[in-house]
Coordinates of all heavy atoms in Angstrom, one line a residue:
L113 N 92.3 47.6 110.4 CA 91.2 48.1 109.6 C 91.6 48.4 108.2 O 90.9 48.1 107.2 CB 90.6 49.4 110.3 CG 89.2 49.7 109.8 CD1 88.2 48.6 110.1 CD2 88.7 51.0 110.5
K114 N 92.8 48.9 108.0 CA 93.3 49.1 106.6 C 93.5 47.8 105.9 O 93.1 47.7 104.7 CB 94.6 49.9 106.7 CG 95.2 50.4 105.4 CD 96.4 51.1 105.6 CE 96.2 52.6 105.2 NZ 97.4 53.4 105.2
L115 N 94.0 46.8 106.5 CA 94.2 45.5 105.9 C 92.8 44.9 105.6 O 92.6 44.3 104.5 CB 94.9 44.5 106.8 CG 95.0 43.1 106.4 CD1 95.8 43.0 105.1 CD2 95.6 42.2 107.5
F116 N 91.9 45.1 106.5 CA 90.5 44.5 106.3 C 89.9 45.2 105.0 O 89.2 44.6 104.2 CB 89.6 44.7 107.5 CG 88.3 44.1 107.4 CD1 88.1 42.8 106.9 CD2 87.2 44.8 107.8 CE1 86.9 42.2 106.9 CE2 85.9 44.1 107.8 CZ 85.8 42.9 107.3
R117 N 90.1 46.5 104.9 CA 89.5 47.2 103.8 C 90.1 46.7 102.4 O 89.4 46.6 101.4 CB 89.8 48.7 103.9 CG 88.9 49.4 105.0 CD 89.1 50.9 105.1 NE 88.5 51.5 103.9 CZ 88.8 52.7 103.4 NH1 89.6 53.4 104.1 NH2 88.2 53.1 102.3
V118 N 91.4 46.5 102.4 CA 92.1 46.0 101.2 C 91.6 44.6 100.9 O 91.2 44.3 99.7 CB 93.6 45.9 101.4 CG1 94.3 45.2 100.3 CG2 94.2 47.3 101.5
I119 N 91.5 43.7 101.9 CA 90.9 42.4 101.7 C 89.5 42.4 101.2 O 89.1 41.7 100.3 CB 91.0 41.5 102.9 CG1 92.5 41.3 103.3 CG2 90.3 40.2 102.8 CD1 93.3 40.4 102.3
A120 N 88.7 43.3 101.7 CA 87.3 43.5 101.3 C 87.2 43.9 99.8 O 86.4 43.4 99.1 CB 86.6 44.5 102.2
L121 N 88.1 44.8 99.4 CA 88.1 45.3 98.0 C 88.5 44.1 97.1 O 87.9 43.9 96.1 CB 89.1 46.4 97.9 CG 89.4 46.9 96.5 CD1 88.1 47.6 95.9 CD2 90.5 47.9 96.5
L122 N 89.6 43.4 97.5 CA 90.0 42.3 96.7 C 89.0 41.2 96.6 O 88.8 40.6 95.5 CB 91.4 41.8 97.2 CG 92.6 42.8 97.0 CD1 93.8 42.2 97.7 CD2 92.9 43.0 95.6
E123 N 88.4 40.9 97.7 CA 87.4 39.8 97.8 C 86.2 40.2 96.9 O 85.7 39.3 96.1 CB 87.0 39.5 99.2 CG 86.2 38.2 99.4 CD 84.8 38.3 99.1 OE1 84.2 39.4 99.2 OE2 84.2 37.2 98.7
G124 N 85.7 41.4 97.0 CA 84.6 41.8 96.2 C 84.9 41.8 94.8 O 84.1 41.4 93.9
S125 N 86.1 42.3 94.4 CA 86.5 42.3 93.0 C 86.7 40.8 92.4 O 86.2 40.6 91.3 CB 87.9 43.0 92.8 OG 87.8 44.3 93.3
S126 N 87.3 39.9 93.2 CA 87.4 38.6 92.7 C 86.1 37.9 92.6 O 85.9 37.1 91.7 CB 88.3 37.8 93.7 OG 87.7 37.5 94.9
Y127 N 85.1 38.2 93.5 CA 83.8 37.7 93.4 C 83.1 38.1 92.1 O 82.5 37.3 91.4 CB 83.0 38.1 94.6 CG 81.6 37.4 94.8 CD1 81.4 36.1 94.3 CD2 80.6 38.1 95.4 CE1 80.1 35.6 94.5 CE2 79.3 37.5 95.6 CZ 79.1 36.3 95.1 OH 77.9 35.7 95.3
I128 N 83.2 39.4 91.8 CA 82.5 39.9 90.6 C 83.2 39.2 89.3 O 82.5 38.8 88.4 CB 82.6 41.4 90.5 CG1 81.7 41.9 91.6 CG2 82.2 41.9 89.2 CD1 81.9 43.4 91.9
L129 N 84.5 39.1 89.4 CA 85.2 38.5 88.2 C 84.8 37.0 88.1 O 84.7 36.5 87.0 CB 86.7 38.7 88.4 CG 87.3 40.1 88.2 CD1 88.7 40.1 88.6 CD2 87.1 40.5 86.8
L130 N 84.7 36.4 89.2 CA 84.3 35.0 89.2 C 82.8 34.8 88.6 O 82.6 33.9 87.8 CB 84.4 34.4 90.6 CG 84.3 32.8 90.7 CD1 85.4 32.2 89.9 CD2 84.4 32.4 92.1
I131 N 82.0 35.7 89.0 CA 80.6 35.7 88.5 C 80.6 35.9 86.9 O 79.9 35.2 86.2 CB 79.7 36.7 89.2 CG1 79.4 36.3 90.6 CG2 78.4 37.0 88.4 CD1 78.7 37.3 91.4
L132 N 81.5 36.8 86.5 CA 81.6 37.1 85.0 C 82.2 35.9 84.3 O 82.0 35.7 83.1 CB 82.4 38.3 84.8 CG 81.8 39.6 85.3 CD1 82.8 40.8 85.1 CD2 80.5 39.9 84.5
A133 N 83.1 35.1 85.0 CA 83.7 34.0 84.4 C 82.8 32.8 84.2 O 83.0 31.9 83.4 CB 84.9 33.6 85.2
M134 N 81.7 32.7 85.0 CA 80.8 31.5 85.0 C 80.1 31.4 83.6 O 80.1 30.2 83.1 CB 79.8 31.6 86.1 CG 80.4 31.4 87.5 SD 81.3 29.9 87.7 CE 80.0 28.8 87.7
P135 N 79.6 32.4 83.0 CA 79.0 32.2 81.7 C 80.0 31.7 80.6 O 79.7 30.9 79.8 CB 78.5 33.6 81.3 CG 78.3 34.3 82.6 CD 79.3 33.8 83.5
V136 N 81.3 32.2 80.8 CA 82.3 31.7 79.8 C 82.5 30.2 80.0 O 82.7 29.5 79.0 CB 83.7 32.5 80.1 CG1 84.8 31.9 79.3 CG2 83.5 34.0 79.8
K137 N 82.5 29.8 81.2 CA 82.7 28.3 81.5 C 81.6 27.5 80.9 O 81.9 26.5 80.2 CB 82.7 28.1 83.0 CG 82.8 26.6 83.4 CD 82.8 26.4 84.9 CE 82.8 25.0 85.2 NZ 82.8 24.7 86.7
Y138 N 80.3 27.9 81.0 CA 79.2 27.1 80.6 C 78.8 27.4 79.1 O 78.3 26.5 78.5 CB 78.0 27.3 81.5 CG 78.3 26.6 82.9 CD1 78.6 27.4 84.0 CD2 78.4 25.3 83.0 CE1 78.9 26.8 85.2 CE2 78.7 24.7 84.2 CZ 78.9 25.4 85.3 OH 79.2 24.8 86.5
L139 N 79.0 28.6 78.6 CA 78.6 28.9 77.3 C 79.7 28.6 76.2 O 79.4 28.2 75.1 CB 78.1 30.3 77.1 CG 76.9 30.7 78.0 CD1 76.6 32.2 77.8 CD2 75.7 29.9 77.5
L140 N 80.9 28.9 76.7 CA 82.1 28.7 75.7 C 82.9 27.4 76.1 O 83.9 27.2 75.4 CB 82.9 29.9 75.7 CG 82.3 31.2 75.3 CD1 83.2 32.4 75.4 CD2 81.7 31.1 73.9
Y141 N 82.5 26.7 77.1 CA 83.2 25.5 77.6 C 84.7 25.8 77.8 O 85.5 25.0 77.5 CB 83.0 24.4 76.6 CG 81.5 24.1 76.3 CD1 80.9 24.6 75.1 CD2 80.7 23.5 77.2 CE1 79.6 24.3 74.8 CE2 79.4 23.2 76.9 CZ 78.8 23.7 75.8 OH 77.5 23.5 75.5
D142 N 84.9 26.9 78.5 CA 86.3 27.2 78.8 C 86.4 27.5 80.3 O 85.9 28.5 80.8 CB 86.7 28.5 78.0 CG 88.2 28.8 78.2 OD1 88.9 28.1 78.9 OD2 88.6 30.0 77.8
E143 N 87.0 26.6 81.0 CA 87.1 26.7 82.5 C 88.3 27.4 83.0 O 88.6 27.6 84.1 CB 87.2 25.2 83.1 CG 86.0 24.4 82.8 CD 86.1 23.0 83.5 OE1 87.2 22.7 84.0 OE2 85.1 22.3 83.4
T144 N 89.1 28.0 82.0 CA 90.4 28.7 82.4 C 90.2 29.7 83.4 O 90.9 29.8 84.4 CB 91.0 29.2 81.1 OG1 91.1 28.2 80.2 CG2 92.4 29.8 81.4
Y145 N 89.2 30.6 83.2 CA 89.0 31.8 84.1 C 88.5 31.4 85.4 O 88.9 31.9 86.4 CB 88.1 32.8 83.4 CG 88.6 33.3 82.1 CD1 88.0 33.0 80.9 CD2 89.8 34.2 82.1 CE1 88.5 33.5 79.7 CE2 90.3 34.6 80.9 CZ 89.7 34.3 79.7 OH 90.2 34.8 78.6
V146 N 87.6 30.4 85.5 CA 87.1 29.9 86.8 C 88.2 29.3 87.6 O 88.4 29.5 88.8 CB 85.9 29.0 86.5 CG1 85.5 28.3 87.8 CG2 84.8 29.7 85.9
K147 N 89.1 28.5 86.9 CA 90.2 27.9 87.6 C 91.2 28.9 88.1 O 91.8 28.8 89.2 CB 90.9 26.9 86.6 CG 90.1 25.6 86.5 CD 90.9 24.6 85.6 CE 90.1 23.4 85.4 NZ 90.8 22.4 84.6
L148 N 91.4 30.0 87.3 CA 92.4 31.0 87.7 C 91.8 31.8 88.9 O 92.6 32.3 89.8 CB 92.7 32.0 86.6 CG 93.6 31.4 85.5 CD1 93.7 32.4 84.3 CD2 95.0 31.2 86.0
L149 N 90.6 32.1 88.9 CA 89.9 33.0 89.9 C 89.4 32.3 91.1 O 89.3 32.9 92.2 CB 88.8 33.8 89.3 CG 89.2 34.7 88.2 CD1 88.0 35.2 87.4 CD2 90.0 35.9 88.7
G150 N 89.1 31.0 91.0 CA 88.5 30.2 92.1 C 89.3 30.2 93.4 O 88.8 30.5 94.5
M151 N 90.5 29.7 93.3 CA 91.3 29.6 94.5 C 91.6 30.9 95.2 O 91.5 31.1 96.4 CB 92.6 28.8 94.2 CG 93.5 28.7 95.4 SD 92.9 27.6 96.7 CE 93.1 26.0 95.9
P152 N 92.1 31.9 94.4 CA 92.3 33.2 95.1 C 91.1 33.8 95.7 O 91.1 34.4 96.8 CB 92.8 34.2 93.9 CG 93.3 33.2 92.9 CD 92.5 32.0 93.0
H153 N 89.9 33.7 95.1 CA 88.7 34.1 95.7 C 88.4 33.4 97.0 O 88.0 34.0 98.0 CB 87.5 34.0 94.7 CG 86.2 34.2 95.4 ND1 85.8 35.5 95.8 CD2 85.2 33.4 95.7 CE1 84.6 35.4 96.4 NE2 84.2 34.2 96.3
G154 N 88.6 32.1 97.0 CA 88.3 31.3 98.2 C 89.2 31.7 99.3 O 88.8 31.9 100.5
I155 N 90.5 32.0 99.0 CA 91.4 32.4 100.1 C 91.0 33.8 100.6 O 91.0 34.0 101.8 CB 92.9 32.4 99.5 CG1 93.3 30.9 99.3 CG2 93.8 33.1 100.5 CD1 94.6 30.8 98.5
L156 N 90.7 34.7 99.7 CA 90.3 36.1 100.1 C 89.0 36.0 100.9 O 88.8 36.8 101.8 CB 90.1 36.9 98.8 CG 91.4 37.3 98.2 CD1 91.1 37.9 96.8 CD2 92.2 38.3 99.0
F157 N 88.0 35.1 100.5 CA 86.8 35.0 101.3 C 87.1 34.5 102.7 O 86.5 35.1 103.7 CB 85.9 34.0 100.6 CG 84.6 33.7 101.3 CD1 83.6 34.6 101.4 CD2 84.5 32.5 102.0 CE1 82.4 34.4 102.1 CE2 83.3 32.2 102.8 CZ 82.3 33.2 102.8

Side-chain angles (χ1 to χ4, degrees):
L113 198 57
K114 189 177 248 186
L115 174 65
F116 188 45
R117 290 185 68 197
V118 170
I119 294 295
L121 173 69
L122 293 172
E123 195 277 333
S125 300
S126 70
Y127 187 32
I128 292 167
L129 290 172
L130 194 58
I131 289 172
L132 295 174
M134 293 303 289
V136 173
K137 176 181 177 181
Y138 291 108
L139 297 176
L140 302 177
Y141 305 104
D142 184 8
E143 296 181 355
T144 307
Y145 299 110
V146 174
K147 287 183 179 182
L148 285 173
L149 296 168
M151 179 67 76
H153 170 69
I155 292 168
L156 289 167
F157 175 76

